[in-house]
Amino acid sequence: MRASLRPWAISAAALSLVFAAACGWQPRQSVRAANPDARLGFSSRAIVQERSAEAKYTSQLSIDSISQFHRTITKRPHIAGTPASMAVAETIRKGLESAGLETEVHEFQVYLSTPRSITVEMLEPAREPLDMREPSSPLDPDSSNPELVPAFVAYSASGEVRAPVVYVNYGLPPDYAKVEAAGVDIRGKIVMARYGRSHRAVKIHTAQEHGAAAIIIYSDPADDGYAKGPTWPQGPWRADFQSQDGNGKYSWFWHGDPLSPGVGARADSKVLDPANAPTLPRIPAIVLSSKEAAKILGQLHGPAVPAGFQGALPFPYHLGAGPAVVHMDVQMDASRRPIRDIVATLRGKNPDRWVVLGTHHDAWTFGGMDPGSGTSAVYETARSLGALAKQGWTPDRSIVFAFWDAEEPGLVGSTEYAEAFERELRQKAVAYINTDLFMQGHFFGGGTPSLRDFLIQVTKDVPALNGKGTVYDEWRAERKGPKDTEVELAALGSGADFVAFQDYLGLPTLSVQYDFEGSYGTYHSNYDSRYYVEHFSDPGFHVARTLAQVFGVAVMRLADAAVLPYRYSHYAHKISGFLDDAGTWGDVKLNLSTSKALAAEIAKRSEALEHRIDENVESGRWPDSSTASLNDRLAHLEQDLLDESGSPAEHWYRHVIYGWNIYSLYDGQPLPGLAEGIRLKDSARITEETARIENALRRMLAELRQAGG
Ligand SMILES: [Zn+2]
């Protein structure tokens, strides 16, 4: 999962600010808005019964049970594809089976990469070996676990390089422009880039494109260490001896298994030859702690660094090249290996419609926070709903809990499942909710705008973590923008298991968690263990319990709503805002008037339809024999925003409204194709993307009319 650092390109937050300021639209007073206790999809009578079931659910939630389960799954390092990861998967499956859920194991055969051996030493100006293992600390006994492997970048190329070092700041294209302007040659060198401002894969790819022989990525204390605050064990920030693992896969081609776009990879699936897969880095990449990195950086001379390049290590940084010369020998073990997704279902009265709540179970090391926090909260939700079912409660739609494997190598388990079960998911799933890691901090809600009002209502019904008011109050206190603006869902980018569901399948999607200033100190380190959770991220598991309550109420309401609680009128207004904003993204000519007119028409018709839905639900006229097909049409409106004209290998990211671009890997990028055309000032691409948006909105409008809008 992401450590969301500041985006390099247009940020979603900036966009929604612009939108809020530019758009004077006010929602029409509907039946629901008039009554603050009304809840989308329920009559005043039905919500009373629903709330009573929710209260019974909430009384099942147990901090002891969360803590005990968390301890069980964080005992050993459990990288995807290893026996330890299989054991965690089986623990989850068994537990949920005894909680009364129907469990399934979905095994895929995917390309994974772990280190065979990594050695790095400085040869010049003096010979000095560098430590690729985080030293252990007696404070956290897990840190001396013999199963831990050296720090590494999954999917790094194997190879041996001896070369002088060049410092390239964050390793993004504008950084290289400045290094080159200073007269420093990068070809054949080892570049050294600090973490931050983009996914590590972007840094590797940019280094490869500039002819570097290898790349070292390190955690500079300016971005990820003592300059931010007290470091481990005094505080939550990264200590100078802690490093950050991660995957280096070029996921902008497609997500999931790097060798099988659009196909759920089974043992007998035809897959790409790794030698030709565009998703795999072609140069060796390693990671270092700031302590080890300082040994090299302190030995660079050459030009002084340009503005913005100096980090927080206690000496003036220089670009090099050299005199530091480094020898790297990186031997990776990459092969197709089995992974196991665990899917557990609480069968509804209408078993062929699904509400899906997902998280992952694999971890780079112990997964104390990533993903032990999310796994424990989703497991507790499933366990408690199982207990409720044993008392006689049955949801209307089925509730499906997914525990994905191999998220860390790049959303592999969730993507393979989404690809393998594409038809079924698009027919049956009414929403996908994801959570990953979380810690004490700010409530975060992201996703597709049709679900914003729904999530607002859910969070209004769950007490705040700080004991004051509700989760909604906490969320609202954090929002940006003018005082009277409502909270918005953040646009989802990449970095967690929602991607295939939103961008490939077009399901209404939510991502829900608590964030801590965008990052945390033991992210992808040996020290992301039980100790960190108990001391820093969630002592007492109160965040986990609060989120389990949010998840439970959310999935129960989505399962039981007479008419699904989407608000496409809000979606259409968001789209109008993006279309207006696109004019400010670059100095290019755009003609978005047709799209703007279509979005306005969708807004008008959705609003009228929603008004009718609210009245018919409240009066008890609905549900009737017509609501099943209405619900299906509403659930499929999101899918109309997919452009399915290309093959998955050419166009895996099919959603024309939401996605991300290479430089905003963790943050969402609205109108991603158009934004890319604008960034490249490519007028043919802009014309093509404009047509894709128009066609998507036409499909949505046609379906909305068929739904009665
Ligand atoms: Zn994660």
Side-chain angles (χ1 to χ4, degrees):
M1 162 63 199
R2 68 179 194 164
S4 140
L5 301 160
R6 289 298 89 214
W8 186 65
I10 311 147
S11 90
L15 287 179
S16 43
L17 258 177
V18 174
F19 171 58
C23 175
W25 170 78
Q26 286 299 319
R28 169 167 158 187
Q29 271 297 99
S30 75
V31 181
R32 328 304 293 171
N35 175 2
D37 290 330
R39 291 294 177 264
L40 292 171
F42 293 88
S43 68
S44 331
R45 205 167 335 135
I47 195 67
V48 173
Q49 205 183 341
E50 185 70 12
R51 283 186 200 282
S52 126
E54 287 166 12
K56 283 189 195 142
Y57 161 76
T58 301
S59 72
Q60 295 293 331
L61 297 174
S62 153
I63 280 178
D64 282 349
S65 149
I66 295 171
S67 173
Q68 207 174 28
F69 177 77
H70 182 271
R71 189 179 286 286
T72 311
I73 60 166
T74 57
K75 273 208 173 95
R76 295 171 66 188
H78 49 284
I79 297 181
T82 63
S85 179
M86 295 293 181
V88 167
E90 182 56 14
T91 298
I92 295 167
R93 194 200 63 76
K94 261 201 198 135
L96 293 180
E97 188 180 63
S98 60
L101 283 79
E102 297 169 28
T103 63
E104 294 163 23
V105 179
H106 294 280
E107 184 165 308
F108 296 98
Q109 197 79 19
V110 300
Y111 194 69
L112 297 176
S113 154
T114 43
R116 182 169 287 137
S117 72
I118 299 178
T119 54
V120 183
E121 61 177 338
M122 193 153 63
L123 302 175
E124 304 283 346
R127 204 178 180 109
E128 177 156 18
L130 298 174
D131 201 350
M132 299 307 295
R133 288 184 176 266
E134 293 173 82
S136 63
S137 161
L139 277 180
D140 182 353
D142 281 336
S143 64
S144 57
N145 187 304
E147 294 179 306
L148 288 164
V149 300
F152 74 107
V153 175
Y155 303 112
S156 161
S158 289
E160 197 178 352
V161 177
R162 266 183 200 82
V165 175
V166 175
Y167 173 62
V168 293
N169 200 25
Y170 294 102
L172 296 170
D175 297 321
Y176 281 85
K178 287 179 188 160
V179 173
E180 280 160 1
V184 178
D185 184 18
I186 284 149
R187 303 201 72 80
K189 307 294 191 301
I190 295 175
V191 295
M192 192 141 181
R194 52 171 156 163
Y195 266 118
R197 302 202 183 167
S198 80
H199 191 274
R200 72 186 70 68
V202 177
K203 300 172 195 287
I204 300 169
H205 185 257
T206 311
Q208 179 184 311
E209 295 285 289
H210 283 81
I215 180 169
I216 298 170
I217 305 172
Y218 78 102
S219 305
D220 196 292
D223 309 274
D224 189 12
Y226 55 69
K228 291 286 196 178
T231 58
W232 193 100
Q234 276 78 42
W237 292 97
R238 194 179 302 273
D240 64 358
F241 58 87
Q242 295 171 334
S243 51
Q244 183 194 134
D245 296 339
N247 83 73
K249 181 162 61 86
Y250 298 166
S251 297
W252 46 90
F253 291 97
W254 56 82
H255 245 308
D257 178 29
L259 306 183
S260 65
V263 175
R266 309 286 189 184
D268 58 356
S269 299
K270 210 172 148 265
V271 300
L272 297 177
D273 177 349
N276 307 323
T279 41
L280 298 174
R282 301 296 158 194
I283 58 172
I286 61 154
V287 287
L288 287 181
S289 67
S290 67
K291 194 175 183 181
E292 296 305 294
K295 294 174 184 170
I296 303 171
L297 283 168
Q299 298 299 338
L300 292 183
H301 297 162
V305 291
F309 275 47
Q310 176 71 40
L313 291 169
F315 48 78
Y317 291 21
H318 289 263
L319 295 176
V325 172
V326 164
H327 170 221
M328 284 167 60
D329 187 5
V330 179
Q331 299 304 324
M332 301 300 291
D333 183 7
S335 59
R336 294 186 69 208
R337 297 170 200 167
I339 58 165
R340 288 184 191 157
D341 295 334
I342 303 300
V343 175
T345 303
L346 193 63
R347 185 184 285 265
K349 293 171 202 146
N350 176 7
D352 283 338
R353 290 297 174 270
W354 304 346
V355 178
V356 188
L357 173 63
T359 185
H360 69 102
H361 66 71
D362 68 301
W364 284 128
T365 62
F366 300 95
M369 241 180 94
D370 185 6
S373 55
T375 320
S376 303
V378 173
Y379 182 89
E380 182 63 7
T381 307
R383 187 197 68 75
S384 301
L385 281 173
L388 197 60
K390 284 181 182 171
Q391 295 172 15
W393 177 78
T394 310
D396 186 3
R397 301 174 184 89
S398 291
I399 302 176
V400 176
F401 300 91
F403 297 84
W404 310 118
D405 200 351
E407 186 271 358
E408 294 297 356
L411 322 184
V412 179
S414 57
T415 301
E416 298 316 295
Y417 181 86
E419 290 173 340
F421 295 95
E422 172 175 352
R423 272 185 57 182
E424 209 171 356
L425 284 161
R426 290 179 67 173
Q427 187 195 348
K428 298 180 178 175
V430 302
Y432 178 77
I433 305 176
N434 196 73
T435 197
D436 197 305
L437 56 89
F438 52 76
M439 74 188 288
Q440 312 183 75
H442 320 300
F443 180 82
F444 172 90
T448 45
S450 56
L451 288 171
R452 181 197 68 163
D453 290 2
F454 168 74
L455 188 62
I456 285 175
Q457 293 189 344
V458 168
T459 54
K460 280 181 175 172
D461 291 337
V462 177
L465 197 52
N466 62 15
K468 290 181 214 126
T470 65
V471 170
Y472 171 73
D473 297 328
E474 292 180 310
W475 188 10
R476 196 170 160 86
E478 287 299 324
R479 84 200 181 293
K480 315 268 189 313
K483 258 201 186 126
D484 54 346
T485 51
E486 185 50 279
V487 296
E488 293 292 346
L489 296 175
L492 297 178
S494 182
D497 287 312
F498 48 73
V499 172
F501 299 94
Q502 178 186 270
D503 297 351
Y504 188 71
L505 298 183
L507 300 185
T509 300
L510 285 175
S511 169
V512 178
Q513 53 209 42
Y514 276 82
D515 273 354
F516 167 74
E517 297 176 37
S519 186
Y520 73 101
T522 65
Y523 176 67
H524 291 183
S525 143
N526 291 354
Y527 287 84
D528 184 3
S529 61
R530 174 81 178 186
Y531 181 94
Y532 191 82
V533 174
E534 285 178 334
H535 290 81
F536 302 109
S537 67
D538 192 13
F541 293 94
H542 298 289
V543 187
R545 193 204 164 282
T546 293
L547 278 175
Q549 192 172 349
V550 171
F551 298 146
V553 172
V555 297
M556 290 172 83
R557 288 206 187 148
L558 283 164
D560 288 343
V563 176
L564 288 162
Y566 310 118
R567 277 295 182 254
Y568 284 98
S569 53
H570 180 59
Y571 206 137
H573 286 289
K574 290 296 286 187
I575 293 172
S576 298
F578 297 151
L579 292 167
D580 289 342
D581 292 344
T584 68
W585 293 349
D587 188 16
V588 292
K589 217 172 114 36
L590 298 177
N591 183 358
L592 300 172
S593 54
T594 306
S595 293
K596 286 179 186 178
L598 286 162
E601 179 75 9
I602 292 169
K604 201 178 79 189
R605 285 177 181 271
S606 300
E607 218 176 286
L609 176 61
E610 287 156 9
H611 194 69
R612 205 163 72 244
I613 290 171
D614 292 346
E615 284 180 338
N616 285 338
V617 168
E618 181 57 31
S619 70
R621 274 193 297 280
W622 287 357
D624 68 3
S625 57
S626 71
T627 38
S629 71
L630 171 66
N631 277 326
D632 282 351
R633 290 223 180 270
L634 293 174
H636 296 164
L637 278 167
E638 183 79 38
Q639 290 179 35
D640 294 322
L641 298 175
L642 301 182
D643 178 346
E644 300 177 56
S645 56
S647 75
E650 297 157 351
H651 232 134
W652 190 88
Y653 293 94
R654 305 190 281 199
H655 204 296
V656 304
I657 306 298
Y658 282 100
W660 49 279
N661 67 47
I662 171 169
Y663 300 111
S664 72
L665 196 46
Y666 292 118
D667 285 332
Q669 170 64 66
L671 310 178
L674 182 65
E676 187 63 2
I678 294 172
R679 191 177 72 84
L680 301 171
K681 295 195 192 312
D682 177 343
S683 60
R685 174 86 187 264
I686 289 170
T687 306
E688 185 194 327
E689 296 292 345
T690 302
R692 292 177 78 215
I693 295 168
E694 283 173 18
N695 291 334
L697 294 177
R698 276 197 192 95
R699 288 190 297 271
M700 195 184 215
L701 180 59
E703 179 128 30
L704 187 62
R705 282 193 173 128
Q706 283 173 310

